[in-house]
Amino acid sequence: MSSSLRFDRGHTDDLMAFLMASPSPYHAVATAAARLEKAGFRQVEETAAWDGTSGGKYVLRGGAIVAWYVPEGASAHTPFRIVGAHTDSPNLRVKPLPDTGAYGWRQVAVEIYGGTLLNTWLDRDLGLAGRISLRDGTHRLVNIDRPLLRVPQLAVHLDRSANPDGLKLDRQKHMQPIWGLGDVEEGDLIRFVAEEAGVESEDVTGWDLMPHAVEPPAYLGRDRELLAGPRMDNLLSVHAAAAALGAVAGQPDEELPYIPVMAAFDHEENGSQSDTGADGPLLGTVLERSVFARGGTYEDRARAFAGTVCLSSDTGHAVHPNYAERHDPTHHPVVNGGPILKVNVNMRYATDGSGRAVFAAACQKADVPWQTFVSNNSMPCGTTIGPITAARHGIQTVDIGVAILSMHSARELCGADDPYLLANAVAAFLAG
């Protein structure tokens, strides 16, 4: 692999900045787009006619981004190399009528999004971020990145069973954060958010807001060999994909046999069934329009898709030293051991033997070690956008990722070397 494509520990430093700049899916795609702009990519509108020119382009839709680079001289049937990821993380989401409270406490009504570990949101300083929708049809990003909210845990004196029997949390009653004192006032939260965003509250007609932990990412351990931070599932993969695509786009066009693509979707944590999720038409529409813009036919589209491969990159489970029995006894992925290949014969992951060979070749080219993950037969296996992508578009798909601990926590843990090892493997894959 070209030395100009290689990422080092500086990539992990940059990931930390990316995590801080991306407290919501909407911020994540905006941050990724800004980085791609610096690499020469330009945004194209879905409502506009597309041309067949070469170069880097991207589409934004809500919390999703699809970006691709067309090398000079690419044919209409040139296959794609895709890295897929997702921008959302399990968390709390503000309800349509957010103002609530009792006994002199002002609170914010929230829903539980995805399979979050509820206890990790307790007694944590939380900000508020997302987007607001305005009367004129535009959107405004909001990031109140300071201690604003807190979900207070009940003192052990009032819950003597919490330690011996385990903490029991009611999703409706126990997870509503406090944000002040006084009487509940309808419209109070949105008035506050509008003021922070610099708009008139009466112009705010919709919102997609979510608390986030304001504690920054940090290196951890005696030798700083670990990284703790929020939303690594799955912004770690989004960051790697954006960095790798930008680097590959800087290579000579004649060295690119494929059209490299990054596809980062929203709503993976609740099933991907939305217009910005992997089970929606966004990726297929973008790829098809790219083929047709270059003068292609349906035959060219079929040829391009037949030669396309997608890496579905998402975090996976590192072996937990306190719960090793929950893992398969012969598959123990370790942090800083390189990216993992995720396998499940019941197609919860899309990897097969052919896909394994593709991934192994990319890692060999990048001189990156890699590992294999498979679930314990007695434990249910999670899933990713991989099987959805394979089934919806007829594209060969391989599930990979980085092994972490504390998955779905408000603060997760990975090896400090793994983010750049993943990015190197992804870059080698995209470059063909």
Side-chain angles (χ1 to χ4, degrees):
M1 187 169 71
S2 168
S3 60
S4 63
L5 288 181
R6 292 199 177 277
F7 301 99
D8 55 22
R9 191 64 170 264
H11 176 87
T12 305
D13 294 335
D14 191 61
L15 168 63
M16 296 166 74
F18 185 85
L19 293 172
M20 284 298 291
S22 307
S24 77
Y26 315 106
H27 288 83
V29 299
T31 305
R35 290 164 178 243
L36 290 171
E37 289 272 356
K38 290 182 179 179
F41 285 68
R42 62 181 177 88
Q43 184 177 1
V44 293
E45 299 292 340
E46 291 187 84
T47 55
W50 292 5
D51 58 47
T53 56
S54 59
K57 306 171 185 180
Y58 68 90
V59 164
L60 293 181
R61 184 192 289 185
I65 180 172
V66 179
W68 66 103
Y69 180 81
V70 180
E72 189 73 38
S75 68
H77 59 264
T78 296
F80 300 93
R81 279 286 175 101
I82 305 167
V83 177
H86 66 88
T87 61
D88 59 320
S89 301
N91 60 7
L92 313 178
R93 301 287 176 104
V94 175
K95 289 184 176 180
L97 300 176
D99 299 294
T100 187
Y103 305 104
W105 295 99
R106 289 184 179 182
Q107 295 175 272
V108 176
V110 296
E111 283 188 275
I112 310 302
Y113 179 84
T116 186
L117 283 171
L118 296 179
N119 65 294
T120 67
W121 289 85
L122 301 179
D123 298 333
R124 192 179 291 274
D125 296 338
L126 305 174
L128 191 66
R131 69 176 182 179
I132 53 177
S133 302
L134 304 180
R135 193 178 304 279
D136 62 4
T138 62
H139 304 284
R140 185 75 60 89
L141 294 183
V142 179
N143 184 10
I144 305 170
D145 195 31
R146 64 179 187 272
L148 178 69
L149 308 166
R150 181 183 176 95
V151 184
Q153 185 172 346
L154 185 64
V156 69
H157 313 77
L158 305 178
D159 186 9
R160 296 290 184 179
S161 64
N163 285 328
D165 299 332
L167 179 65
K168 295 180 175 60
L169 293 171
D170 184 285
R171 293 161 64 91
Q172 177 62 36
K173 294 193 298 182
H174 299 153
M175 296 306 298
Q176 311 307 312
I178 60 173
W179 75 299
L181 301 173
D183 297 330
V184 177
E185 298 181 21
E186 184 178 351
D188 196 23
L189 180 71
I190 299 306
R191 281 192 294 270
F192 171 77
V193 170
E195 182 178 356
E196 291 285 321
V199 300
E200 298 296 327
S201 59
E202 55 267 25
D203 289 334
V204 179
T205 55
W207 50 88
D208 301 280
L209 300 170
M210 56 206 74
H212 66 278
V214 299
E215 182 183 2
Y219 287 111
L220 184 147
R222 185 191 66 179
D223 299 316
R224 293 164 56 88
E225 67 268 53
L226 302 171
L227 176 66
R231 299 178 295 280
M232 286 194 283
D233 178 10
N234 186 32
L235 294 188
L236 189 158
S237 294
V238 175
H239 175 256
L245 179 60
V248 168
Q251 300 302 292
D253 282 8
E254 60 270 17
E255 297 181 8
L256 297 178
Y258 304 100
I259 296 173
V261 180
M262 162 190 163
F265 302 100
D266 202 352
H267 302 132
E268 188 273 347
E269 297 293 356
N270 60 11
S272 296
Q273 291 186 322
S274 71
D275 68 317
T276 53
D279 203 19
L282 180 59
L283 176 60
T285 299
V286 168
L287 299 183
E288 288 178 348
R289 291 185 69 176
S290 175
V291 169
F292 298 151
R294 283 175 279 124
T297 63
Y298 183 82
E299 181 72 9
D300 292 311
R301 179 258 188 218
R303 293 174 65 187
F305 277 42
T308 292
V309 183
C310 174
L311 289 187
S312 164
S313 182
D314 204 344
T315 54
H317 301 293
V319 61
H320 197 301
N322 300 337
Y323 302 91
E325 72 281 359
R326 303 295 181 94
H327 300 265
D328 183 83
T330 59
H331 294 78
H332 285 169
V334 296
V335 299
N336 288 334
I340 55 174
L341 180 75
K342 302 160 80 170
V343 178
N344 179 266
V345 295
N346 294 303
M347 299 312 293
R348 300 292 287 172
Y349 303 130
T351 307
D352 62 8
S354 176
R356 175 190 173 99
V358 172
F359 181 63
C363 289
Q364 181 178 14
K365 180 180 178 182
D367 193 24
V368 165
W370 60 281
Q371 312 173 79
T372 304
F373 171 83
V374 65
S375 289
N376 186 309
N377 284 329
S378 300
M379 304 288 293
C381 181
T383 190
T384 67
I385 66 167
I388 294 171
T389 302
R392 181 170 183 84
H393 306 295
I395 290 173
Q396 182 183 17
T397 303
V398 188
D399 270 295
I400 66 163
V402 162
I404 70 171
L405 293 181
S406 305
M407 186 184 293
H408 287 196
S409 168
R411 193 168 179 85
E412 297 162 322
L413 183 72
C414 75
D417 296 340
D418 282 329
Y420 69 80
L421 293 175
L422 173 67
N424 283 324
V426 168
F429 166 77
L430 289 177

